[in-house]
Amino acid sequence: RIQGTGVAPRSVYYSVGQNTNDHKTGSPTLTITGGAGVFSVAQTAVNMGVGDRVTYNSSSIAYVAGKISTSIWTLATAQGGMPADVTNAVVDSIAHEYASLREAVSGADDANHLDTSDLTLGYILNVPCYYDSGPGSNAVYVGGWTTASNNFINIYTPNNTASECNQSQRHAGKWSTNAYRLEIQNMGDGCVFWINTPYVRITGLQISYDNGGSGGYGIMVSWVNHEGVDISCCILREISAVKNAYGIFVGDWAEKCRIWNNIIDGFNVGISSKWG
């Protein structure tokens, strides 16, 4: 783990989709030199990109941290370090790390990943979200993490096809069934996306909420001094248009939140900020 003042944090990447099926192209071998992974067969899957787990030589694992070309991808270990060099290793699979966003934000601190929930030890946790074949269907709770302004949680849809992914996973300014989305049905008076940790960035998600109750929240930022929360470029829609449904709700003392460039439709209240 990286500790000490002045040490740049490591970015770690764990991807989310609707499954963890193998989506490698062909039967490639992999050569890693100084963190650059060269595949003998170009990897062209439309749902491949940063955060995907590459398993090779039966049990070795690295995560995609960047794209140079469809044949060359930057790779990192689970804790953001440089994987050992290899030559012509057989690639067993390339897959998303988690089958749901809820699993990712609740499980990325386990022994197989960061092995800590304290990002101030020197990490930035990136959770890129991909469209495979349908929507995510589980509500998300982001809590229990120790964060700071330089050690934050970044949940987003990758959209840079030169440096992140083969195909943009983000909507193009209107609701899209071919981009990553969360769709929650008949959840009652609950919350689709609950942020209960400071320093969280949410970018480019689609959230659909069919309430089935008398109220609820698309995104809620909790009440206690949760500064450093950014919500941008998201689309939120409420299908049943019930009373007391909030698109984005910021509670008491959730200071220094920034909310911009979002589309909010169907909620009784688009954005509400309740200050103490």
Short mmCIF file of all heavy atoms in Angstrom, two decimals, residues 136-183:
data_model
loop_
_atom_site.label_atom_id
_atom_site.label_comp_id
_atom_site.label_asym_id
_atom_site.label_seq_id
_atom_site.Cartn_x
_atom_site.Cartn_y
_atom_site.Cartn_z
N GLY A 136 -28.84 -2.82 -15.43
CA GLY A 136 -28.61 -3.26 -14.07
C GLY A 136 -29.91 -3.12 -13.30
O GLY A 136 -30.71 -2.23 -13.59
N SER A 137 -30.14 -4.00 -12.33
CA SER A 137 -31.45 -4.01 -11.67
C SER A 137 -31.36 -3.98 -10.15
O SER A 137 -32.35 -4.27 -9.47
CB SER A 137 -32.24 -5.25 -12.11
OG SER A 137 -31.54 -6.44 -11.81
N ASN A 138 -30.20 -3.64 -9.61
CA ASN A 138 -30.02 -3.60 -8.15
C ASN A 138 -29.72 -2.18 -7.69
O ASN A 138 -28.87 -1.50 -8.26
CB ASN A 138 -28.86 -4.50 -7.73
CG ASN A 138 -29.14 -5.96 -8.01
OD1 ASN A 138 -30.17 -6.50 -7.60
ND2 ASN A 138 -28.23 -6.62 -8.72
N ALA A 139 -30.43 -1.74 -6.65
CA ALA A 139 -30.14 -0.44 -6.06
C ALA A 139 -28.73 -0.43 -5.50
O ALA A 139 -28.16 -1.47 -5.15
CB ALA A 139 -31.15 -0.13 -4.95
N VAL A 140 -28.13 0.77 -5.42
CA VAL A 140 -26.71 0.91 -5.07
C VAL A 140 -26.57 1.73 -3.79
O VAL A 140 -27.20 2.79 -3.65
CB VAL A 140 -25.94 1.58 -6.22
CG1 VAL A 140 -24.48 1.78 -5.84
CG2 VAL A 140 -26.06 0.76 -7.50
N TYR A 141 -25.74 1.25 -2.88
CA TYR A 141 -25.39 1.99 -1.67
C TYR A 141 -23.89 2.18 -1.63
O TYR A 141 -23.13 1.21 -1.66
CB TYR A 141 -25.86 1.23 -0.43
CG TYR A 141 -25.40 1.85 0.88
CD1 TYR A 141 -26.03 2.99 1.38
CD2 TYR A 141 -24.35 1.30 1.61
CE1 TYR A 141 -25.62 3.56 2.57
CE2 TYR A 141 -23.94 1.85 2.81
CZ TYR A 141 -24.58 2.99 3.28
OH TYR A 141 -24.17 3.56 4.46
N VAL A 142 -23.44 3.43 -1.58
CA VAL A 142 -22.01 3.74 -1.50
C VAL A 142 -21.73 4.23 -0.08
O VAL A 142 -22.04 5.37 0.27
CB VAL A 142 -21.59 4.80 -2.53
CG1 VAL A 142 -20.08 4.99 -2.49
CG2 VAL A 142 -22.03 4.39 -3.93
N GLY A 143 -21.18 3.38 0.75
CA GLY A 143 -20.92 3.74 2.13
C GLY A 143 -19.82 2.86 2.70
O GLY A 143 -19.46 1.82 2.14
N GLY A 144 -19.28 3.28 3.85
CA GLY A 144 -18.28 2.48 4.53
C GLY A 144 -16.86 2.69 4.06
O GLY A 144 -15.94 2.01 4.52
N TRP A 145 -16.66 3.65 3.14
CA TRP A 145 -15.32 3.93 2.62
C TRP A 145 -14.72 5.15 3.31
O TRP A 145 -15.45 6.07 3.68
CB TRP A 145 -15.39 4.19 1.12
CG TRP A 145 -15.75 3.00 0.31
CD1 TRP A 145 -17.01 2.58 -0.03
CD2 TRP A 145 -14.84 2.05 -0.26
NE1 TRP A 145 -16.94 1.43 -0.78
CE2 TRP A 145 -15.61 1.08 -0.94
CE3 TRP A 145 -13.45 1.93 -0.27
CZ2 TRP A 145 -15.04 0.01 -1.62
CZ3 TRP A 145 -12.88 0.86 -0.94
CH2 TRP A 145 -13.67 -0.09 -1.60
N THR A 146 -13.41 5.15 3.47
CA THR A 146 -12.69 6.33 3.94
C THR A 146 -12.07 6.99 2.72
O THR A 146 -11.27 6.37 2.01
CB THR A 146 -11.60 5.96 4.95
OG1 THR A 146 -12.20 5.30 6.07
CG2 THR A 146 -10.87 7.20 5.43
N THR A 147 -12.44 8.24 2.46
CA THR A 147 -12.03 8.92 1.24
C THR A 147 -11.44 10.29 1.58
O THR A 147 -11.51 10.76 2.71
CB THR A 147 -13.23 9.10 0.31
OG1 THR A 147 -14.27 9.81 1.01
CG2 THR A 147 -13.78 7.76 -0.17
N ALA A 148 -10.89 10.93 0.57
CA ALA A 148 -10.36 12.28 0.70
C ALA A 148 -10.39 12.93 -0.67
O ALA A 148 -10.72 12.28 -1.67
CB ALA A 148 -8.94 12.27 1.27
N SER A 149 -10.02 14.19 -0.74
CA SER A 149 -10.14 14.92 -2.01
C SER A 149 -9.31 14.29 -3.12
O SER A 149 -9.69 14.34 -4.29
CB SER A 149 -9.74 16.39 -1.81
OG SER A 149 -8.41 16.48 -1.32
N ASN A 150 -8.18 13.69 -2.78
CA ASN A 150 -7.34 13.03 -3.78
C ASN A 150 -7.49 11.52 -3.79
O ASN A 150 -6.79 10.82 -4.54
CB ASN A 150 -5.87 13.39 -3.56
CG ASN A 150 -5.59 14.85 -3.83
OD1 ASN A 150 -6.15 15.43 -4.76
ND2 ASN A 150 -4.73 15.45 -3.02
N ASN A 151 -8.37 11.01 -2.95
CA ASN A 151 -8.58 9.56 -2.82
C ASN A 151 -10.08 9.30 -2.85
O ASN A 151 -10.71 9.04 -1.84
CB ASN A 151 -7.97 9.05 -1.51
CG ASN A 151 -6.53 9.46 -1.35
OD1 ASN A 151 -6.21 10.37 -0.58
ND2 ASN A 151 -5.64 8.81 -2.07
N PHE A 152 -10.62 9.35 -4.05
CA PHE A 152 -12.08 9.36 -4.22
C PHE A 152 -12.57 8.11 -4.94
O PHE A 152 -11.78 7.30 -5.46
CB PHE A 152 -12.51 10.62 -4.96
CG PHE A 152 -11.78 10.85 -6.27
CD1 PHE A 152 -12.24 10.28 -7.45
CD2 PHE A 152 -10.63 11.63 -6.31
CE1 PHE A 152 -11.56 10.49 -8.64
CE2 PHE A 152 -9.94 11.84 -7.50
CZ PHE A 152 -10.41 11.27 -8.67
N ILE A 153 -13.88 7.96 -4.98
CA ILE A 153 -14.54 6.90 -5.73
C ILE A 153 -15.11 7.50 -7.00
O ILE A 153 -15.85 8.48 -6.95
CB ILE A 153 -15.66 6.24 -4.90
CG1 ILE A 153 -15.08 5.62 -3.62
CG2 ILE A 153 -16.39 5.18 -5.71
CD1 ILE A 153 -16.13 5.13 -2.64
N ASN A 154 -14.80 6.90 -8.12
CA ASN A 154 -15.19 7.43 -9.43
C ASN A 154 -16.04 6.37 -10.15
O ASN A 154 -15.50 5.36 -10.62
CB ASN A 154 -13.93 7.76 -10.24
CG ASN A 154 -14.25 8.39 -11.59
OD1 ASN A 154 -15.27 9.06 -11.74
ND2 ASN A 154 -13.39 8.17 -12.56
N ILE A 155 -17.34 6.60 -10.21
CA ILE A 155 -18.27 5.67 -10.85
C ILE A 155 -18.76 6.33 -12.13
O ILE A 155 -19.34 7.42 -12.09
CB ILE A 155 -19.45 5.34 -9.92
CG1 ILE A 155 -18.94 4.69 -8.63
CG2 ILE A 155 -20.46 4.42 -10.61
CD1 ILE A 155 -20.00 4.54 -7.55
N TYR A 156 -18.56 5.68 -13.27
CA TYR A 156 -18.78 6.38 -14.53
C TYR A 156 -18.99 5.40 -15.68
O TYR A 156 -18.71 4.20 -15.57
CB TYR A 156 -17.59 7.29 -14.84
CG TYR A 156 -16.30 6.55 -15.10
CD1 TYR A 156 -15.80 6.40 -16.39
CD2 TYR A 156 -15.58 5.97 -14.05
CE1 TYR A 156 -14.60 5.73 -16.63
CE2 TYR A 156 -14.39 5.29 -14.28
CZ TYR A 156 -13.91 5.17 -15.56
OH TYR A 156 -12.74 4.48 -15.80
N THR A 157 -19.46 5.94 -16.80
CA THR A 157 -19.52 5.17 -18.03
C THR A 157 -18.37 5.63 -18.92
O THR A 157 -18.30 6.80 -19.30
CB THR A 157 -20.86 5.39 -18.75
OG1 THR A 157 -21.18 6.79 -18.78
CG2 THR A 157 -21.98 4.65 -18.04
N PRO A 158 -17.43 4.75 -19.27
CA PRO A 158 -16.32 5.15 -20.13
C PRO A 158 -16.82 5.53 -21.52
O PRO A 158 -17.71 4.87 -22.07
CB PRO A 158 -15.43 3.91 -20.17
CG PRO A 158 -16.31 2.79 -19.78
CD PRO A 158 -17.35 3.35 -18.87
N ASN A 159 -16.27 6.59 -22.08
CA ASN A 159 -16.76 7.05 -23.40
C ASN A 159 -15.64 7.43 -24.36
O ASN A 159 -15.91 7.79 -25.50
CB ASN A 159 -17.72 8.22 -23.23
CG ASN A 159 -17.05 9.47 -22.68
OD1 ASN A 159 -15.98 9.40 -22.08
ND2 ASN A 159 -17.67 10.61 -22.90
N ASN A 160 -14.39 7.33 -23.93
CA ASN A 160 -13.27 7.69 -24.80
C ASN A 160 -12.77 6.43 -25.50
O ASN A 160 -12.13 5.57 -24.90
CB ASN A 160 -12.14 8.32 -23.98
CG ASN A 160 -11.07 8.93 -24.86
OD1 ASN A 160 -10.69 8.38 -25.88
ND2 ASN A 160 -10.57 10.09 -24.46
N THR A 161 -13.06 6.32 -26.80
CA THR A 161 -12.71 5.11 -27.54
C THR A 161 -11.23 5.06 -27.92
O THR A 161 -10.76 4.03 -28.40
CB THR A 161 -13.57 4.98 -28.80
OG1 THR A 161 -13.40 6.14 -29.62
CG2 THR A 161 -15.04 4.82 -28.44
N ALA A 162 -10.51 6.14 -27.70
CA ALA A 162 -9.06 6.12 -27.96
C ALA A 162 -8.29 5.63 -26.74
O ALA A 162 -7.27 4.94 -26.88
CB ALA A 162 -8.57 7.51 -28.35
N SER A 163 -8.76 5.93 -25.52
CA SER A 163 -7.96 5.65 -24.34
C SER A 163 -8.65 4.79 -23.29
O SER A 163 -8.01 4.38 -22.32
CB SER A 163 -7.55 6.97 -23.67
OG SER A 163 -8.69 7.68 -23.22
N GLU A 164 -9.97 4.49 -23.48
CA GLU A 164 -10.69 3.76 -22.43
C GLU A 164 -11.35 2.47 -22.91
O GLU A 164 -11.32 1.45 -22.21
CB GLU A 164 -11.79 4.64 -21.84
CG GLU A 164 -11.32 5.83 -21.06
CD GLU A 164 -12.48 6.63 -20.50
OE1 GLU A 164 -13.48 6.86 -21.23
OE2 GLU A 164 -12.40 7.00 -19.32
N CYS A 165 -12.02 2.52 -24.05
CA CYS A 165 -12.93 1.43 -24.42
C CYS A 165 -13.08 1.35 -25.93
O CYS A 165 -12.71 2.28 -26.66
CB CYS A 165 -14.30 1.64 -23.78
SG CYS A 165 -15.03 3.27 -24.12
N ASN A 166 -13.63 0.22 -26.39
CA ASN A 166 -13.85 0.06 -27.83
C ASN A 166 -15.09 0.77 -28.34
O ASN A 166 -15.13 1.20 -29.49
CB ASN A 166 -13.94 -1.43 -28.18
CG ASN A 166 -12.59 -2.11 -28.16
OD1 ASN A 166 -11.55 -1.47 -28.36
ND2 ASN A 166 -12.57 -3.41 -27.90
N GLN A 167 -16.10 0.88 -27.48
CA GLN A 167 -17.33 1.59 -27.85
C GLN A 167 -17.81 2.37 -26.64
O GLN A 167 -17.78 1.86 -25.52
CB GLN A 167 -18.40 0.60 -28.30
CG GLN A 167 -19.74 1.24 -28.68
CD GLN A 167 -20.70 0.24 -29.27
OE1 GLN A 167 -20.46 -0.30 -30.34
NE2 GLN A 167 -21.80 -0.03 -28.58
N SER A 168 -18.25 3.60 -26.86
CA SER A 168 -18.74 4.40 -25.75
C SER A 168 -19.89 3.70 -25.04
O SER A 168 -20.80 3.17 -25.68
CB SER A 168 -19.21 5.78 -26.25
OG SER A 168 -19.80 6.51 -25.18
N GLN A 169 -19.83 3.69 -23.73
CA GLN A 169 -20.88 3.08 -22.92
C GLN A 169 -21.85 4.12 -22.36
O GLN A 169 -22.72 3.80 -21.55
CB GLN A 169 -20.23 2.32 -21.76
CG GLN A 169 -19.22 1.28 -22.21
CD GLN A 169 -19.84 0.21 -23.09
OE1 GLN A 169 -20.81 -0.44 -22.71
NE2 GLN A 169 -19.28 0.01 -24.28
N ARG A 170 -21.72 5.36 -22.83
CA ARG A 170 -22.51 6.48 -22.30
C ARG A 170 -23.61 6.88 -23.27
O ARG A 170 -23.45 6.79 -24.49
CB ARG A 170 -21.60 7.67 -22.02
CG ARG A 170 -22.27 8.82 -21.27
CD ARG A 170 -21.24 9.85 -20.85
NE ARG A 170 -20.20 9.23 -20.01
CZ ARG A 170 -19.14 9.87 -19.55
NH1 ARG A 170 -18.95 11.15 -19.86
NH2 ARG A 170 -18.25 9.25 -18.80
N HIS A 171 -24.72 7.32 -22.72
CA HIS A 171 -25.79 7.89 -23.53
C HIS A 171 -25.28 9.10 -24.30
O HIS A 171 -24.25 9.69 -23.96
CB HIS A 171 -26.97 8.28 -22.64
CG HIS A 171 -26.59 9.34 -21.64
ND1 HIS A 171 -26.51 10.68 -21.94
CD2 HIS A 171 -26.24 9.24 -20.33
CE1 HIS A 171 -26.16 11.37 -20.88
NE2 HIS A 171 -25.97 10.52 -19.88
N ALA A 172 -26.02 9.49 -25.33
CA ALA A 172 -25.62 10.65 -26.14
C ALA A 172 -26.54 11.84 -25.89
O ALA A 172 -26.81 12.63 -26.80
CB ALA A 172 -25.63 10.27 -27.61
N GLY A 173 -27.00 11.99 -24.66
CA GLY A 173 -27.84 13.13 -24.31
C GLY A 173 -29.32 12.81 -24.26
O GLY A 173 -30.13 13.68 -23.92
N LYS A 174 -29.69 11.58 -24.57
CA LYS A 174 -31.06 11.13 -24.41
C LYS A 174 -31.02 9.67 -23.99
O LYS A 174 -30.02 8.98 -24.17
CB LYS A 174 -31.87 11.31 -25.68
CG LYS A 174 -31.38 10.51 -26.87
CD LYS A 174 -32.26 10.76 -28.09
CE LYS A 174 -31.78 9.94 -29.29
NZ LYS A 174 -32.65 10.18 -30.47
N TRP A 175 -32.13 9.21 -23.41
CA TRP A 175 -32.18 7.85 -22.88
C TRP A 175 -31.86 6.84 -23.98
O TRP A 175 -32.38 6.92 -25.08
CB TRP A 175 -33.55 7.56 -22.29
CG TRP A 175 -33.59 6.26 -21.56
CD1 TRP A 175 -33.95 5.04 -22.06
CD2 TRP A 175 -33.23 6.04 -20.20
NE1 TRP A 175 -33.84 4.07 -21.09
CE2 TRP A 175 -33.41 4.66 -19.94
CE3 TRP A 175 -32.79 6.88 -19.16
CZ2 TRP A 175 -33.16 4.10 -18.68
CZ3 TRP A 175 -32.53 6.32 -17.92
CH2 TRP A 175 -32.71 4.95 -17.69
N SER A 176 -30.98 5.88 -23.67
CA SER A 176 -30.57 4.89 -24.65
C SER A 176 -30.60 3.50 -24.03
O SER A 176 -30.05 3.29 -22.94
CB SER A 176 -29.16 5.19 -25.16
OG SER A 176 -28.68 4.14 -25.97
N THR A 177 -31.21 2.55 -24.73
CA THR A 177 -31.19 1.16 -24.28
C THR A 177 -29.93 0.44 -24.73
O THR A 177 -29.76 -0.74 -24.44
CB THR A 177 -32.43 0.41 -24.80
OG1 THR A 177 -32.47 0.50 -26.22
CG2 THR A 177 -33.70 1.01 -24.20
N ASN A 178 -29.05 1.14 -25.42
CA ASN A 178 -27.78 0.56 -25.85
C ASN A 178 -26.60 1.16 -25.11
O ASN A 178 -25.46 1.11 -25.60
CB ASN A 178 -27.60 0.74 -27.36
CG ASN A 178 -28.59 -0.07 -28.16
OD1 ASN A 178 -28.79 -1.25 -27.89
ND2 ASN A 178 -29.23 0.56 -29.13
N ALA A 179 -26.86 1.73 -23.94
CA ALA A 179 -25.82 2.27 -23.08
C ALA A 179 -26.09 1.80 -21.66
O ALA A 179 -27.20 1.34 -21.35
CB ALA A 179 -25.80 3.80 -23.15
N TYR A 180 -25.10 1.92 -20.78
CA TYR A 180 -25.27 1.42 -19.42
C TYR A 180 -26.42 2.16 -18.73
O TYR A 180 -26.56 3.37 -18.85
CB TYR A 180 -23.99 1.61 -18.59
CG TYR A 180 -24.18 1.12 -17.18
CD1 TYR A 180 -24.07 -0.23 -16.88
CD2 TYR A 180 -24.51 2.01 -16.17
CE1 TYR A 180 -24.28 -0.69 -15.60
CE2 TYR A 180 -24.73 1.55 -14.87
CZ TYR A 180 -24.61 0.20 -14.59
OH TYR A 180 -24.84 -0.26 -13.31
N ARG A 181 -27.23 1.39 -17.98
CA ARG A 181 -28.34 2.00 -17.26
C ARG A 181 -28.73 1.13 -16.06
O ARG A 181 -28.51 -0.08 -16.05
CB ARG A 181 -29.55 2.20 -18.18
CG ARG A 181 -30.16 0.92 -18.71
CD ARG A 181 -31.10 1.21 -19.90
NE ARG A 181 -31.93 0.07 -20.26
CZ ARG A 181 -31.55 -0.94 -21.02
NH1 ARG A 181 -30.31 -0.96 -21.50
NH2 ARG A 181 -32.37 -1.93 -21.30
N LEU A 182 -29.32 1.78 -15.06
CA LEU A 182 -29.93 1.11 -13.92
C LEU A 182 -31.44 1.31 -14.03
O LEU A 182 -31.91 2.44 -14.15
CB LEU A 182 -29.44 1.74 -12.61
CG LEU A 182 -28.06 1.38 -12.08
CD1 LEU A 182 -27.72 2.26 -10.89
CD2 LEU A 182 -28.01 -0.09 -11.66
N GLU A 183 -32.19 0.22 -13.95
CA GLU A 183 -33.65 0.30 -13.99
C GLU A 183 -34.20 -0.47 -12.80
O GLU A 183 -34.04 -1.69 -12.71
CB GLU A 183 -34.19 -0.27 -15.29
CG GLU A 183 -33.81 0.54 -16.52
CD GLU A 183 -34.45 0.03 -17.80
OE1 GLU A 183 -35.16 -0.99 -17.74
OE2 GLU A 183 -34.23 0.65 -18.86
#
